[in-house]
Amino acid sequence: MDSSIWDKALNLLKYDDNINLVTYDSILCKMSVAHSDSDVLVLAARDEYSLNLVKGQKLNKIIENAIKASNDGKSIAVKFILAGDENALNTSVNSEKKAVRQAKSEIPTTNGLNSEFSFENFVVGDCNRFAHASAVSVASKPGQKQRNPFFLWGNSGLGKTHLMKAIGNAVLEQHPDKKVIYTTCEAFTNAYIACINTNKYTDFRTKFRTVDVLLIDDIQFLIGKEGVQTEFFNTFEALIESGKQIVITCDKAPSNLTELSSRLVSRFQDGIMFDVQPPDFETRKAIFLSKLSSETFTLSDEIIDYICENVTTNIRQLNGAFNTISSYVMLANGELTLEDAQKILMPIISPNKKKYLTPEIIINAVANYYDLTPDKITSKLRSAEISTARNVAMFICRDYLELKYEKIGLLFGGRKHTTVIHGCDNVDESPELKKQAEEIYKLIT
Protein backbone atom coordinates (compact mmCIF):
# COMPACT_ATOMS: atom_id res chain seq x y z
CA MET A 1 0.00 0.00 0.00
CA ASP A 2 1.30 3.48 -0.81
CA SER A 3 0.65 7.00 0.48
CA SER A 4 -2.04 7.57 -2.14
CA ILE A 5 -4.42 5.72 0.18
CA TRP A 6 -4.21 8.66 2.58
CA ASP A 7 -4.88 11.06 -0.28
CA LYS A 8 -7.99 9.08 -1.19
CA ALA A 9 -9.05 8.99 2.45
CA LEU A 10 -8.68 12.78 2.69
CA ASN A 11 -11.06 13.18 -0.23
CA LEU A 12 -13.63 11.11 1.64
CA LEU A 13 -13.07 12.97 4.91
CA LYS A 14 -13.58 16.30 3.16
CA TYR A 15 -17.24 15.48 2.65
CA ASP A 16 -17.83 13.82 6.02
CA ASP A 17 -20.49 15.71 7.98
CA ASN A 18 -18.79 14.78 11.26
CA ILE A 19 -15.69 16.84 10.42
CA ASN A 20 -15.79 20.61 10.30
CA LEU A 21 -13.78 22.64 7.82
CA VAL A 22 -11.35 23.96 10.43
CA THR A 23 -10.40 20.46 11.57
CA TYR A 24 -10.07 19.28 7.99
CA ASP A 25 -7.93 22.21 6.76
CA SER A 26 -5.76 22.85 9.82
CA ILE A 27 -5.37 19.32 11.20
CA LEU A 28 -6.05 16.53 8.71
CA CYS A 29 -4.62 18.15 5.59
CA LYS A 30 -1.45 19.02 7.48
CA MET A 31 -0.77 15.39 8.38
CA SER A 32 1.80 13.36 6.45
CA VAL A 33 2.44 9.67 5.87
CA ALA A 34 5.42 8.51 7.97
CA HIS A 35 5.14 4.84 7.04
CA SER A 36 2.89 2.74 4.85
CA ASP A 37 2.69 -0.99 4.08
CA SER A 38 0.08 -3.74 3.91
CA ASP A 39 -0.12 -4.05 7.72
CA VAL A 40 0.12 -0.53 9.09
CA LEU A 41 -0.24 3.12 8.08
CA VAL A 42 1.51 5.63 10.34
CA LEU A 43 0.34 9.24 10.08
CA ALA A 44 2.41 12.11 11.48
CA ALA A 45 0.73 15.11 13.11
CA ARG A 46 2.52 18.44 13.15
CA ASP A 47 1.98 19.22 16.88
CA GLU A 48 0.80 17.70 20.15
CA TYR A 49 -2.66 19.26 19.90
CA SER A 50 -3.25 17.80 16.44
CA LEU A 51 -1.96 14.44 17.64
CA ASN A 52 -4.35 14.37 20.60
CA LEU A 53 -7.21 15.42 18.37
CA VAL A 54 -6.81 12.67 15.77
CA LYS A 55 -6.21 10.06 18.48
CA GLY A 56 -9.56 10.94 20.05
CA GLN A 57 -12.01 8.07 20.01
CA LYS A 58 -14.52 9.61 17.56
CA LEU A 59 -12.16 11.15 15.00
CA ASN A 60 -9.80 8.17 15.16
CA LYS A 61 -12.66 5.87 14.12
CA ILE A 62 -13.77 8.19 11.32
CA ILE A 63 -10.23 8.28 9.91
CA GLU A 64 -9.86 4.49 10.13
CA ASN A 65 -13.14 3.97 8.28
CA ALA A 66 -12.10 6.38 5.52
CA ILE A 67 -8.75 4.60 5.11
CA LYS A 68 -10.49 1.22 5.01
CA ALA A 69 -12.87 2.47 2.32
CA SER A 70 -9.91 3.83 0.36
CA ASN A 71 -8.11 0.50 0.65
CA ASP A 72 -10.80 -1.52 -1.16
CA GLY A 73 -12.53 -2.33 2.13
CA LYS A 74 -9.45 -4.02 3.63
CA SER A 75 -8.74 -3.23 7.28
CA ILE A 76 -5.32 -1.90 8.20
CA ALA A 77 -3.84 -0.70 11.48
CA VAL A 78 -3.67 3.10 11.68
CA LYS A 79 -1.16 4.69 14.06
CA PHE A 80 -0.55 8.36 14.87
CA ILE A 81 2.73 9.95 15.92
CA LEU A 82 4.25 13.39 16.26
CA ALA A 83 6.13 14.47 13.14
CA GLY A 84 9.85 13.81 13.47
CA ASP A 85 9.51 11.36 16.38
CA GLU A 86 11.55 8.45 15.02
CA ASN A 87 11.27 6.45 18.23
CA ALA A 88 7.49 6.59 18.15
CA LEU A 89 7.54 5.66 14.45
CA ASN A 90 9.73 2.61 15.03
CA THR A 91 7.68 1.59 18.06
CA SER A 92 4.39 1.91 16.16
CA VAL A 93 5.59 -0.12 13.19
CA ASN A 94 7.41 -2.79 15.22
CA SER A 95 4.60 -3.27 17.74
CA GLU A 96 2.03 -3.67 14.98
CA LYS A 97 4.22 -6.12 13.08
CA LYS A 98 4.66 -8.08 16.31
CA ALA A 99 0.89 -8.09 16.88
CA VAL A 100 0.26 -9.34 13.35
CA ARG A 101 2.82 -12.14 13.75
CA GLN A 102 1.39 -13.09 17.13
CA ALA A 103 -2.17 -13.09 15.80
CA LYS A 104 -1.16 -15.36 12.94
CA SER A 105 0.63 -17.74 15.30
CA GLU A 106 -2.38 -17.90 17.59
CA ILE A 107 -5.00 -18.80 15.01
CA PRO A 108 -6.98 -21.46 16.85
CA THR A 109 -7.07 -25.00 15.55
CA THR A 110 -10.34 -26.81 14.84
CA ASN A 111 -10.56 -27.84 18.49
CA GLY A 112 -10.78 -24.18 19.55
CA LEU A 113 -7.51 -24.23 21.52
CA ASN A 114 -4.19 -22.44 21.10
CA SER A 115 -0.91 -22.72 22.95
CA GLU A 116 -1.22 -19.34 24.67
CA PHE A 117 -3.01 -20.84 27.66
CA SER A 118 -1.09 -23.30 29.82
CA PHE A 119 -0.61 -24.20 33.47
CA GLU A 120 2.97 -22.92 33.22
CA ASN A 121 1.92 -19.31 32.54
CA PHE A 122 -1.03 -19.35 34.95
CA VAL A 123 -0.11 -17.41 38.09
CA VAL A 124 -1.26 -19.25 41.20
CA GLY A 125 -2.38 -17.42 44.35
CA ASP A 126 -4.69 -17.94 47.32
CA CYS A 127 -7.62 -16.88 45.12
CA ASN A 128 -7.24 -19.81 42.73
CA ARG A 129 -4.86 -22.32 44.34
CA PHE A 130 -7.38 -25.17 44.81
CA ALA A 131 -9.03 -24.59 41.43
CA HIS A 132 -5.60 -24.76 39.77
CA ALA A 133 -4.58 -27.94 41.62
CA SER A 134 -7.84 -29.65 40.68
CA ALA A 135 -7.51 -28.53 37.06
CA VAL A 136 -4.05 -30.11 36.88
CA SER A 137 -5.47 -33.31 38.35
CA VAL A 138 -8.35 -33.37 35.85
CA ALA A 139 -5.93 -32.90 32.96
CA SER A 140 -3.75 -35.79 34.10
CA LYS A 141 -6.66 -38.23 34.47
CA PRO A 142 -9.65 -36.93 32.52
CA GLY A 143 -13.01 -38.62 32.97
CA GLN A 144 -12.66 -39.71 36.60
CA LYS A 145 -16.13 -39.87 38.13
CA GLN A 146 -15.37 -37.82 41.24
CA ARG A 147 -14.12 -34.87 39.16
CA ASN A 148 -16.74 -34.96 36.44
CA PRO A 149 -18.04 -32.44 35.58
CA PHE A 150 -15.41 -29.90 36.62
CA PHE A 151 -17.30 -26.66 37.21
CA LEU A 152 -15.51 -23.28 37.57
CA TRP A 153 -17.47 -20.17 38.44
CA GLY A 154 -16.76 -16.52 39.23
CA ASN A 155 -16.86 -13.04 37.73
CA SER A 156 -15.47 -12.23 34.31
CA GLY A 157 -11.73 -11.75 33.91
CA LEU A 158 -10.52 -13.95 36.79
CA GLY A 159 -8.83 -16.69 34.77
CA LYS A 160 -11.56 -19.32 34.40
CA THR A 161 -11.12 -19.58 30.63
CA HIS A 162 -7.33 -19.73 31.03
CA LEU A 163 -7.63 -22.70 33.39
CA MET A 164 -10.15 -24.40 31.11
CA LYS A 165 -7.96 -24.07 28.02
CA ALA A 166 -4.91 -25.10 30.03
CA ILE A 167 -6.72 -28.33 30.85
CA GLY A 168 -7.35 -28.91 27.14
CA ASN A 169 -3.75 -28.24 26.15
CA ALA A 170 -2.39 -30.41 28.96
CA VAL A 171 -4.68 -33.31 27.99
CA LEU A 172 -3.46 -33.13 24.38
CA GLU A 173 0.15 -33.03 25.58
CA GLN A 174 -0.18 -35.95 28.02
CA HIS A 175 -2.71 -37.95 26.00
CA PRO A 176 -2.12 -37.18 22.30
CA ASP A 177 -4.70 -39.77 21.24
CA LYS A 178 -7.59 -38.04 22.99
CA LYS A 179 -10.03 -35.74 21.21
CA VAL A 180 -10.58 -32.35 22.87
CA ILE A 181 -12.99 -29.58 21.89
CA TYR A 182 -13.26 -26.11 23.39
CA THR A 183 -16.39 -24.09 22.60
CA THR A 184 -18.44 -21.29 24.06
CA CYS A 185 -22.07 -21.75 24.98
CA GLU A 186 -22.93 -19.22 22.28
CA ALA A 187 -21.02 -21.20 19.64
CA PHE A 188 -22.70 -24.42 20.79
CA THR A 189 -26.09 -22.72 20.47
CA ASN A 190 -25.31 -21.38 16.98
CA ALA A 191 -24.10 -24.81 15.85
CA TYR A 192 -27.32 -26.38 17.10
CA ILE A 193 -29.48 -23.79 15.31
CA ALA A 194 -27.47 -24.40 12.11
CA CYS A 195 -28.07 -28.15 12.36
CA ILE A 196 -31.80 -27.52 12.70
CA ASN A 197 -31.81 -25.33 9.60
CA THR A 198 -29.85 -27.88 7.57
CA ASN A 199 -31.34 -30.98 9.18
CA LYS A 200 -27.83 -32.29 9.96
CA TYR A 201 -28.41 -33.50 13.49
CA THR A 202 -26.08 -36.46 13.04
CA ASP A 203 -23.11 -34.24 12.16
CA PHE A 204 -23.76 -32.02 15.17
CA ARG A 205 -24.07 -34.91 17.63
CA THR A 206 -21.07 -36.71 16.18
CA LYS A 207 -18.96 -33.60 16.74
CA PHE A 208 -19.88 -33.06 20.38
CA ARG A 209 -20.65 -36.60 21.63
CA THR A 210 -17.56 -38.39 20.35
CA VAL A 211 -14.99 -36.25 22.19
CA ASP A 212 -12.92 -37.33 25.17
CA VAL A 213 -12.93 -33.86 26.74
CA LEU A 214 -15.60 -31.18 26.18
CA LEU A 215 -14.72 -27.68 27.39
CA ILE A 216 -17.70 -25.32 27.32
CA ASP A 217 -17.40 -21.67 28.36
CA ASP A 218 -20.10 -19.37 29.83
CA ILE A 219 -22.81 -21.98 30.36
CA GLN A 220 -25.13 -19.28 31.79
CA PHE A 221 -26.04 -18.36 28.20
CA LEU A 222 -28.20 -21.51 28.06
CA ILE A 223 -30.77 -19.63 30.14
CA GLY A 224 -33.91 -18.97 28.13
CA LYS A 225 -33.02 -21.46 25.37
CA GLU A 226 -35.19 -24.48 26.13
CA GLY A 227 -34.37 -26.46 22.98
CA VAL A 228 -30.63 -25.96 23.34
CA GLN A 229 -30.84 -26.91 27.03
CA THR A 230 -32.43 -30.23 26.08
CA GLU A 231 -29.75 -30.92 23.46
CA PHE A 232 -26.95 -30.02 25.87
CA PHE A 233 -28.47 -32.21 28.60
CA ASN A 234 -28.51 -35.17 26.22
CA THR A 235 -24.93 -34.44 25.14
CA PHE A 236 -23.90 -34.14 28.80
CA GLU A 237 -25.51 -37.47 29.68
CA ALA A 238 -23.95 -39.25 26.70
CA LEU A 239 -20.45 -38.05 27.60
CA ILE A 240 -20.72 -38.79 31.32
CA GLU A 241 -22.04 -42.29 30.67
CA SER A 242 -19.08 -42.89 28.32
CA GLY A 243 -16.60 -41.78 30.97
CA LYS A 244 -15.66 -38.60 29.07
CA GLN A 245 -14.57 -35.41 30.82
CA ILE A 246 -16.70 -32.23 30.85
CA VAL A 247 -15.33 -28.86 32.00
CA ILE A 248 -17.73 -25.94 32.41
CA THR A 249 -17.32 -22.26 33.33
CA CYS A 250 -20.04 -19.91 34.51
CA ASP A 251 -20.42 -16.48 36.07
CA LYS A 252 -22.30 -17.86 39.09
CA ALA A 253 -22.55 -20.99 41.22
CA PRO A 254 -24.84 -23.79 40.00
CA SER A 255 -27.20 -23.20 42.94
CA ASN A 256 -27.78 -19.64 41.65
CA LEU A 257 -28.73 -20.75 38.13
CA THR A 258 -32.39 -20.69 39.11
CA GLU A 259 -33.59 -19.95 35.57
CA LEU A 260 -31.83 -22.99 34.15
CA SER A 261 -33.35 -26.46 33.91
CA SER A 262 -33.23 -28.07 37.37
CA ARG A 263 -31.99 -31.37 35.95
CA LEU A 264 -29.01 -29.61 34.38
CA VAL A 265 -28.23 -27.78 37.62
CA SER A 266 -28.29 -31.05 39.56
CA ARG A 267 -25.84 -32.59 37.05
CA PHE A 268 -23.47 -29.63 37.44
CA GLN A 269 -23.45 -30.17 41.20
CA ASP A 270 -22.59 -33.85 40.86
CA GLY A 271 -18.87 -33.25 40.18
CA ILE A 272 -16.54 -30.69 41.76
CA MET A 273 -17.10 -26.93 41.85
CA PHE A 274 -14.67 -24.10 42.51
CA ASP A 275 -15.25 -20.38 42.99
CA VAL A 276 -12.42 -18.37 41.40
CA GLN A 277 -12.01 -15.20 43.46
CA PRO A 278 -10.49 -11.84 42.43
CA PRO A 279 -6.69 -11.94 42.87
CA ASP A 280 -5.23 -10.54 46.08
CA PHE A 281 -2.33 -8.06 46.08
CA GLU A 282 0.38 -10.72 46.09
CA THR A 283 -1.21 -12.55 43.15
CA ARG A 284 -1.75 -9.33 41.20
CA LYS A 285 1.89 -8.39 41.73
CA ALA A 286 3.06 -11.86 40.66
CA ILE A 287 0.98 -11.58 37.47
CA PHE A 288 2.32 -8.09 36.77
CA LEU A 289 5.94 -9.13 37.35
CA SER A 290 5.44 -12.17 35.13
CA LYS A 291 4.34 -9.93 32.25
CA LEU A 292 7.13 -7.46 32.97
CA SER A 293 9.79 -10.19 32.83
CA SER A 294 9.25 -10.62 29.08
CA GLU A 295 9.75 -6.90 28.35
CA THR A 296 12.94 -4.95 27.73
CA PHE A 297 12.12 -2.16 30.19
CA THR A 298 11.88 -2.04 33.97
CA LEU A 299 9.63 -0.18 36.40
CA SER A 300 10.36 1.07 39.90
CA ASP A 301 8.93 -0.84 42.87
CA GLU A 302 6.77 2.14 43.83
CA ILE A 303 5.10 2.18 40.40
CA ILE A 304 4.54 -1.59 40.43
CA ASP A 305 3.09 -1.46 43.95
CA TYR A 306 0.89 1.52 43.06
CA ILE A 307 -0.60 -0.34 40.08
CA CYS A 308 -1.12 -3.62 41.92
CA GLU A 309 -2.64 -1.89 44.95
CA ASN A 310 -5.14 0.09 42.88
CA VAL A 311 -6.09 -2.16 39.94
CA THR A 312 -8.13 -4.71 41.86
CA THR A 313 -11.21 -5.73 39.87
CA ASN A 314 -9.90 -8.56 37.70
CA ILE A 315 -6.94 -9.82 35.70
CA ARG A 316 -8.16 -8.28 32.43
CA GLN A 317 -8.12 -4.84 34.04
CA LEU A 318 -4.58 -5.52 35.29
CA ASN A 319 -3.54 -6.57 31.77
CA GLY A 320 -5.06 -3.37 30.42
CA ALA A 321 -3.09 -1.30 32.92
CA PHE A 322 0.12 -3.13 31.99
CA ASN A 323 -0.45 -2.62 28.25
CA THR A 324 -1.20 1.08 28.80
CA ILE A 325 1.95 1.57 30.87
CA SER A 326 4.18 -0.42 28.49
CA SER A 327 2.97 1.62 25.49
CA TYR A 328 3.74 4.86 27.32
CA VAL A 329 7.21 3.65 28.37
CA MET A 330 8.11 2.81 24.77
CA LEU A 331 6.95 6.21 23.55
CA ALA A 332 8.73 8.00 26.40
CA ASN A 333 12.04 6.21 25.80
CA GLY A 334 11.76 4.24 29.03
CA GLU A 335 11.16 7.23 31.31
CA LEU A 336 8.20 6.92 33.69
CA THR A 337 7.61 8.50 37.09
CA LEU A 338 5.01 7.57 39.68
CA GLU A 339 3.18 10.80 38.87
CA ASP A 340 3.13 9.84 35.18
CA ALA A 341 1.68 6.43 36.04
CA GLN A 342 -1.01 7.99 38.22
CA LYS A 343 -2.11 10.33 35.41
CA ILE A 344 -2.00 7.64 32.71
CA LEU A 345 -4.02 5.14 34.73
CA MET A 346 -6.61 7.57 36.05
CA PRO A 347 -9.26 6.39 33.51
CA ILE A 348 -8.76 2.83 34.79
CA ILE A 349 -8.29 3.46 38.50
CA SER A 350 -10.58 6.50 38.93
CA PRO A 351 -12.77 6.69 35.81
CA ASN A 352 -15.29 9.02 37.47
CA LYS A 353 -12.78 11.39 39.04
CA LYS A 354 -13.40 14.98 37.96
CA LYS A 355 -10.68 16.37 35.72
CA TYR A 356 -9.39 19.85 36.59
CA LEU A 357 -9.71 22.57 33.97
CA THR A 358 -7.97 25.95 34.09
CA PRO A 359 -8.14 29.09 31.94
CA GLU A 360 -4.56 28.44 30.83
CA ILE A 361 -5.50 24.99 29.51
CA ILE A 362 -8.46 26.50 27.64
CA ILE A 363 -6.36 29.28 26.09
CA ASN A 364 -3.68 26.81 24.95
CA ALA A 365 -6.25 24.43 23.48
CA VAL A 366 -8.06 27.18 21.60
CA ALA A 367 -4.75 28.53 20.29
CA ASN A 368 -3.81 25.09 18.97
CA TYR A 369 -7.25 24.61 17.44
CA TYR A 370 -6.98 27.84 15.46
CA ASP A 371 -3.27 27.45 14.74
CA LEU A 372 -2.27 30.46 16.85
CA THR A 373 0.04 31.05 19.77
CA PRO A 374 -1.56 31.56 23.22
CA ASP A 375 -0.03 35.02 23.64
CA LYS A 376 -1.94 36.29 20.58
CA ILE A 377 -5.26 35.35 22.15
CA THR A 378 -4.53 37.44 25.24
CA SER A 379 -2.87 40.24 23.27
CA LYS A 380 -4.34 43.54 22.00
CA LEU A 381 -4.35 42.24 18.41
CA ARG A 382 -7.79 42.44 16.78
CA SER A 383 -7.60 40.61 13.47
CA ALA A 384 -10.70 38.59 12.59
CA GLU A 385 -8.97 35.25 13.14
CA ILE A 386 -7.54 36.20 16.53
CA SER A 387 -10.78 37.84 17.68
CA THR A 388 -12.76 34.73 16.81
CA ALA A 389 -10.38 32.48 18.76
CA ARG A 390 -10.41 34.91 21.69
CA ASN A 391 -14.23 35.00 21.76
CA VAL A 392 -14.42 31.20 21.76
CA ALA A 393 -11.88 30.97 24.59
CA MET A 394 -13.79 33.55 26.67
CA PHE A 395 -17.06 31.73 25.94
CA ILE A 396 -15.62 28.42 27.22
CA CYS A 397 -14.29 30.15 30.35
CA ARG A 398 -17.74 31.62 30.97
CA ASP A 399 -19.88 28.55 30.23
CA TYR A 400 -17.66 25.73 31.48
CA LEU A 401 -15.58 27.35 34.22
CA GLU A 402 -18.45 29.68 35.21
CA LEU A 403 -16.06 32.62 35.61
CA LYS A 404 -17.45 36.14 36.00
CA TYR A 405 -17.02 38.59 33.13
CA GLU A 406 -14.62 40.76 35.14
CA LYS A 407 -12.36 37.79 35.89
CA ILE A 408 -12.37 36.70 32.25
CA GLY A 409 -11.47 40.23 31.19
CA LEU A 410 -8.41 40.23 33.46
CA LEU A 411 -7.27 36.86 32.06
CA PHE A 412 -7.56 38.11 28.49
CA GLY A 413 -5.30 41.13 28.61
CA GLY A 414 -7.25 43.35 30.99
CA ARG A 415 -10.35 43.73 28.81
CA LYS A 416 -13.52 45.42 30.04
CA HIS A 417 -16.40 43.22 31.09
CA THR A 418 -18.55 44.70 28.33
CA THR A 419 -15.99 43.52 25.75
CA VAL A 420 -16.14 40.02 27.21
CA ILE A 421 -19.96 40.05 27.12
CA HIS A 422 -19.92 41.13 23.47
CA GLY A 423 -17.39 38.41 22.57
CA CYS A 424 -19.40 35.67 24.31
CA ASP A 425 -22.59 36.92 22.64
CA ASN A 426 -20.92 36.56 19.24
CA VAL A 427 -20.31 32.88 19.97
CA ASP A 428 -23.82 32.41 21.37
CA GLU A 429 -25.30 33.77 18.13
CA SER A 430 -23.14 31.55 15.85
CA PRO A 431 -24.05 27.83 15.71
CA GLU A 432 -20.72 27.14 14.00
CA LEU A 433 -18.66 28.83 16.72
CA LYS A 434 -20.68 27.14 19.48
CA LYS A 435 -20.03 23.80 17.82
CA GLN A 436 -16.29 24.53 17.70
CA ALA A 437 -16.33 25.57 21.37
CA GLU A 438 -18.04 22.31 22.32
CA GLU A 439 -15.51 20.33 20.27
CA ILE A 440 -12.57 22.05 21.97
CA TYR A 441 -14.09 21.47 25.40
CA LYS A 442 -14.54 17.75 24.71
CA LEU A 443 -10.93 17.50 23.54
CA ILE A 444 -9.47 19.07 26.66
CA THR A 445 -11.68 17.18 29.13
Side-chain angles (χ1 to χ4, degrees):
M1 190 184 78
D2 55 42
S3 59
S4 63
I5 295 295
W6 176 233
D7 295 331
K8 293 177 183 177
L10 277 175
N11 287 331
L12 294 177
L13 294 168
K14 184 176 182 180
Y15 301 101
D16 194 312
D17 293 337
N18 295 301
I19 297 177
N20 62 53
L21 188 59
V22 173
T23 299
Y24 180 81
D25 288 336
S26 62
I27 305 294
L28 299 183
C29 286
K30 300 295 176 64
M31 296 182 70
S32 59
V33 176
H35 176 88
S36 175
D37 61 35
S38 59
D39 294 324
V40 59
L41 173 66
V42 182
L43 297 173
R46 59 176 178 163
D47 53 43
E48 290 282 359
Y49 176 77
S50 301
L51 180 63
N52 291 332
L53 176 66
V54 296
K55 289 175 70 174
Q57 185 175 3
K58 182 178 179 181
L59 189 52
N60 190 337
K61 191 65 177 176
I62 293 172
I63 293 173
E64 287 179 351
N65 289 338
I67 290 172
K68 180 179 179 180
S70 303
N71 194 33
D72 299 324
K74 299 175 184 176
S75 296
I76 181 173
V78 182
K79 303 292 184 181
F80 302 97
I81 65 168
L82 192 63
D85 191 340
E86 291 297 323
N87 288 328
L89 173 60
N90 293 333
T91 299
S92 297
V93 174
N94 292 337
S95 63
E96 188 57 36
K97 293 291 185 183
K98 179 181 177 181
V100 170
R101 290 194 301 271
Q102 184 176 0
K104 289 179 179 178
S105 67
E106 292 175 0
I107 295 174
T109 59
T110 54
N111 61 19
L113 296 170
N114 59 54
S115 59
E116 177 187 356
F117 300 98
S118 67
F119 291 129
E120 287 70 26
N121 61 18
F122 184 86
V123 178
V124 180
D126 290 339
C127 57
N128 56 34
R129 191 177 308 282
F130 294 110
H132 172 267
S134 294
V136 172
S137 178
V138 166
S140 64
K141 295 181 179 179
Q144 282 194 332
K145 183 175 176 57
Q146 63 269 33
R147 293 190 177 90
N148 206 10
F150 183 51
F151 193 101
L152 292 167
W153 63 278
N155 290 331
S156 176
L158 299 181
K160 302 186 301 295
T161 299
H162 188 139
L163 269 181
M164 169 181 275
K165 290 186 174 181
I167 290 173
N169 285 321
V171 168
L172 292 174
E173 183 179 344
Q174 299 171 38
H175 312 279
D177 57 320
K178 292 193 178 295
K179 183 179 178 182
V180 179
I181 284 184
Y182 164 83
T183 187
T184 63
C185 186
E186 182 181 11
F188 182 90
T189 301
N190 292 338
Y192 179 65
I193 293 172
C195 93
I196 294 175
N197 294 334
T198 58
N199 201 29
K200 293 183 177 180
Y201 293 94
T202 302
D203 292 347
F204 174 84
R205 287 164 184 164
T206 298
K207 176 179 179 179
F208 289 105
R209 298 188 189 183
T210 60
V211 298
D212 296 295
V213 179
L214 176 62
L215 313 167
I216 185 159
D217 220 349
D218 293 326
I219 201 68
Q220 70 271 11
F221 288 112
L222 280 181
I223 292 173
K225 303 177 178 71
E226 300 300 329
V228 185
Q229 286 185 38
T230 299
E231 183 62 32
F232 181 74
F233 176 82
N234 293 331
T235 298
F236 184 100
E237 291 289 278
L239 292 173
I240 292 293
E241 288 177 6
S242 302
K244 309 303 182 183
Q245 180 69 50
I246 300 176
V247 181
I248 298 169
T249 69
C250 188
D251 64 353
K252 59 187 71 175
S255 58
N256 291 329
L257 293 171
T258 55
E259 299 174 74
L260 201 61
S261 165
S262 59
R263 62 179 183 173
L264 266 178
V265 172
S266 68
R267 297 303 191 279
F268 295 161
Q269 295 172 320
D270 197 34
I272 54 173
M273 300 167 287
F274 281 101
D275 174 13
V276 182
Q277 293 286 337
D280 53 24
F281 171 76
E282 288 76 15
T283 305
R284 295 196 299 272
K285 187 169 182 178
I287 293 170
F288 195 90
L289 290 173
S290 175
K291 295 180 71 67
L292 187 61
S293 65
S294 62
E295 299 293 338
T296 57
F297 62 87
T298 58
L299 296 174
S300 67
D301 288 340
E302 64 175 357
I303 292 177
I304 295 172
D305 287 347
Y306 170 78
I307 295 170
C308 296
E309 285 169 357
N310 288 279
V311 182
T312 61
T313 305
N314 56 48
I315 297 169
R316 288 199 187 108
Q317 188 188 46
L318 187 64
N319 287 339
F322 179 85
N323 293 336
T324 300
I325 287 293
S326 62
S327 296
Y328 180 90
V329 170
M330 286 189 289
L331 292 173
N333 296 321
E335 297 179 4
L336 180 73
T337 65
L338 177 59
E339 185 179 7
D340 292 331
Q342 291 170 337
K343 290 178 180 177
I344 296 164
L345 296 178
M346 183 180 289
I348 296 175
I349 293 172
S350 305
N352 299 318
K353 187 174 181 179
K354 185 175 180 180
K355 298 175 179 62
Y356 293 99
L357 189 61
T358 66
E360 290 75 18
I361 292 174
I362 292 173
I363 292 170
N364 286 333
V366 172
N368 280 324
Y369 189 89
Y370 290 102
D371 199 19
L372 300 170
T373 57
D375 61 291
K376 287 185 178 179
I377 291 182
T378 57
S379 71
K380 300 298 182 181
L381 297 174
R382 300 177 62 183
S383 68
E385 182 183 27
I386 294 174
S387 294
T388 296
R390 183 182 297 128
N391 291 342
V392 169
M394 293 191 297
F395 174 86
I396 295 174
C397 286
R398 184 196 71 178
D399 277 32
Y400 294 104
L401 289 187
E402 299 180 357
L403 296 180
K404 295 184 180 297
Y405 289 120
E406 291 80 3
K407 175 67 173 178
I408 296 173
L410 290 173
L411 292 169
F412 286 81
R415 285 175 164 75
K416 296 180 180 179
H417 76 281
T418 52
T419 303
V420 178
I421 293 173
H422 179 69
C424 292
D425 287 345
N426 285 340
V427 179
D428 265 325
E429 295 166 4
S430 170
E432 180 64 23
L433 290 181
K434 286 189 73 173
K435 182 179 178 181
Q436 292 175 17
E438 290 171 3
E439 184 176 342
I440 293 169
Y441 177 74
K442 288 178 181 178
L443 288 170
I444 57 182
T445 55

